[in-house]
Amino acid sequence: MISENVHRILSELPPGVKLEAAAKERSVAEIEEALGAGIEIIGENYVQEAAGKFKTIGKKAAWHLIGHLQKNKVKAAVEIFDTIETLDSLALATVLDRECKKRNKVMPVLIEVNSAAEPQKSGLRLEEVEGFLEEVSAFTALSPRGLMTLGPWRENPEELRPYFRKVKYLFDKVGRTLGQKGEWKVLSMGMSVSFRVAIEEGANLVRVGTAIFGERKSKY
Ligand SMILES: *Cc1c(COP(=O)(O)O)cnc(C)c1O
């Protein structure tokens, strides 16, 4: 079922849009099946959970962190992840930059945007992102590549469209400011129920769990 799902979703993605398998709670066997069907990016929410799977799967895919990163997990995260999609504070950027420098590594990062300014969610508010990026430019071991957003929870994905649109607008604005400097090119938006709408609004990386692997046991 997993490989059929991956094939079906891949076949409907427009050129230039990448599919990331959001793999929280999924076993190594399930992830391996997805990789066999053409998945090249694994998204994990928790460093510890990813570390266990990484031991077996290794570098067969790119690993992206899509959950909140605690400062005390940065060391382990730097060993596993190829991209941190959830950079959301200067304090985290400071620790991440330091740990990457120790390993002579430059880490691609996405800035997580709290596009509906929900108090319980992590991520920067839209209006904070440009100032934040200026500060992040001092961290030479971090390479900002774009934005990531979850958006508010809505049953009807059409209701997410305005939030995706705002993030895309900001993404383009930053891209124009950076011009040829930097490698600003990733817009990570959309999940199982919303990836089609997100792509229509400009996403080029979609994070899909349920539509690949089936329902999860617990609700996140
Ligand atoms: C779980 C998760 C997804 C995928 O959610 P589905 O609804 O299962 O597709 C995407 N992004 C993040 C940050 C997640 O935690």
Side-chain angles (χ1 to χ4, degrees), residues 11-26:
S11 73
E12 69 172 273
L13 296 185
V17 178
K18 287 192 180 150
L19 177 60
E20 168 175 357
K24 56 180 174 253
E25 291 186 30
R26 312 302 179 171

Side-chain angles (χ1 to χ4, degrees), residues 22 24 45 66 148 150 191-192 207-210 216:
K24 56 180 174 253
N45 291 63
I66 60 175
M148 179 271 211
L150 273 163
M191 322 202 303
S192 291
R207 309 176 308 269
V208 178
T210 313
R216 276 185 300 276

Side-chain angles (χ1 to χ4, degrees), residues 118-134:
E118 296 168 282
Q120 78 281 13
K121 279 222 176 98
S122 51
L124 298 179
R125 295 180 180 222
L126 287 154
E127 63 274 16
E128 295 172 327
V129 168
E130 286 168 287
F132 180 70
L133 274 165
E134 251 167 64

